[in-house]
Amino acid sequence: MPDTPTTTTGEPAAGGQPAPDRTTTGATIELEGLTKRYPGSGTAAVDNVSMEIAAGEIVILVGPSGCGKSTTLRMINRLIEPTSGRITINGEDVTRMDPVRLRRKVGYAIQSSGLFPHMTVAQNIALVPRMVGWSKSRTKERVAEMLDLVGLDPGEFRGRYPRQLSGGQQQRVGVARALAADPPVLLMDEPFGAVDPITRDHLQDELIRLQHELHKTIVFVTHDFDEAIKLGDRIAVLREQSHIAQFDTPEAILTHPADDFVSGFVGAGAALKRLNLTRVRDVGITDYPTVSLDDPLQHIFDRLRSEKTNELLLLDRKRRPYKWLRRGDLTLAKGSLARAGTLVHDTVTRDATLRDALEAVLTDNAGRVAVTGRRGEYEGVVDMETLMNSVHELLEEDRLDALENQHELAESRRSRTELAQEGGFGEGSS
Ligand code: ADP
């Protein structure tokens, strides 16, 4: 799709359409026979890599340190020039693109945010918009919009310097800067590598939320396989020289690793890792007896006496889970529900991972968690038994897969031996 005609500065040309307000969505990226040989180095850092990345997907490049992930990534925005091969974005060869246009097409975020310390947050975010010639007012608006997008209050953060921010906030600003000129492609090089695990978890969740809104094409480098599983639509597991060991969905890689290198990388506990991939919507949620704050007290008492479970879920006036009421709570109630029952402290949505649900259930005394809809309204309950059954199923699948793999391995060894023997006879008889 051709861009709006631009002047040399990138500002819409006279008569051209002003830049649209709606967000630019992703572009396809194609790597063809991409190779990088650093001067003075005998072997190529990246050797003949080909890969197609669809518009709007998050592809994770994962592999051991030094395997060539960063080099591959940095060739996409030409921070490193390829020795040979081709990279196209939406069919356009990036080596033929002028650098300003390329900056506009490809956002880039790195570990430790890479913010310029002598510039304010606003100046950092404004870098690419200014470079491509946006007006001051449009840039200012965009800075505020980007800060909002990454969950930072523009009034509070715009004028700060990077050293006045926490690591997580710096990283957010780094993402805001990468997205500022609304590029269809976002490259991220271990962007969350330098923050603590809890902040990292939050930043990952934020990125997933952002991507739901923005649909960019994101190429993300990490050495952390768990991060890859959590974020990737597809994962490219790379071995040395960026050779692709497997390029597939997280699910496929976890359940059918291509070879020993990939299994080694997936590591132990593939079944448990799959808890991150399975959603509450994929397991049965059950109905639970509920009453409402609007129900007459007598009705609630009667229900509590008649229910087999000994327990009811009390919903507030917006049908949101409010309290768990037990039969024993009746005696304490003394005509009012104000002090009766236990407040519902945690709920999950159908989109929550089984891991989140399991965490919620494990911290609940009675081993269950209420499932809610978009507005927090009650939809059902997931209990420990359902979750444990899912975990058992996953473990069982893994066990069967492992047996199958062993069987296949034994078969292929046997046929290799047979072939070698036949070969030996052949040679001997000729
Ligand atoms: P990764 O991101 O997977 O850790 P890199 O792409 O950074 O790997 O590096 C791949 C290989 O290229 C490594 O062997 C590294 O030492 C080498 N390398 C990286 N940058 C340079 C450079 N500027 N000059 C020479 N060799 C480099």
Side-chain angles (χ1 to χ4, degrees), residues 38-39 41 44-46 63-72 80 189-190 221:
Y38 286 109
S41 172
V46 171
S65 178
C67 74
K69 305 179 291 293
S70 292
T71 303
T72 305
I80 295 175
D189 194 346
E190 303 243 10
V221 161

Side-chain angles (χ1 to χ4, degrees), residues 87-261:
I87 302 153
T88 55
I89 294 179
N90 263 358
E92 196 178 346
D93 191 333
V94 300
T95 56
R96 306 225 174 99
M97 242 184 247
D98 85 81
V100 171
R101 206 167 124 69
L102 189 60
R103 289 292 157 267
R104 209 169 106 178
K105 286 235 174 246
V106 185
Y108 182 52
I110 57 175
Q111 190 176 89
S112 304
S113 77
L115 299 175
F116 291 112
H118 58 285
M119 290 184 179
T120 62
V121 163
Q123 287 166 337
N124 266 289
I125 298 176
L127 268 175
V128 180
R130 297 298 292 154
M131 186 204 295
V132 301
W134 288 19
S135 69
K136 271 201 171 130
S137 62
R138 183 172 166 212
T139 305
K140 192 170 170 211
E141 238 172 69
R142 185 68 180 170
V143 167
E145 193 189 331
M146 287 297 101
L147 282 171
D148 262 340
L149 187 72
V150 297
L152 296 174
D153 176 18
E156 193 183 339
F157 286 96
R158 169 192 289 132
R160 289 206 197 171
Y161 286 89
R163 66 174 184 292
Q164 298 168 313
L165 306 174
S166 72
Q169 289 164 344
Q170 287 185 25
Q171 222 48 71
R172 287 194 164 88
V173 175
V175 172
R177 181 174 70 177
L179 289 170
D182 197 15
V185 173
L186 181 58
L187 307 181
M188 307 184 89
D189 194 346
E190 303 243 10
F192 311 142
V195 293
D196 64 87
I198 293 175
T199 308
R200 187 179 318 148
D201 225 38
H202 283 157
L203 290 169
Q204 291 166 345
D205 291 343
E206 296 258 299
L207 183 65
I208 295 170
R209 179 185 61 78
L210 273 180
Q211 177 65 351
H212 275 307
E213 272 178 48
L214 301 178
H215 310 287
K216 303 289 182 188
T217 305
I218 300 179
V219 190
F220 187 110
V221 161
T222 182
H223 62 270
D224 174 357
F225 192 70
D226 290 325
E227 183 164 69
I229 294 177
K230 181 166 174 186
L231 297 177
D233 293 316
R234 285 193 297 162
I235 300 173
V237 184
L238 304 178
R239 54 172 99 233
E240 70 289 348
Q241 299 182 293
S242 270
H243 288 155
I244 299 173
Q246 190 167 8
F247 186 23
D248 213 328
T249 60
E251 194 103 56
I253 290 176
L254 283 171
T255 49
H256 295 103
D259 56 23
D260 288 350
F261 176 82

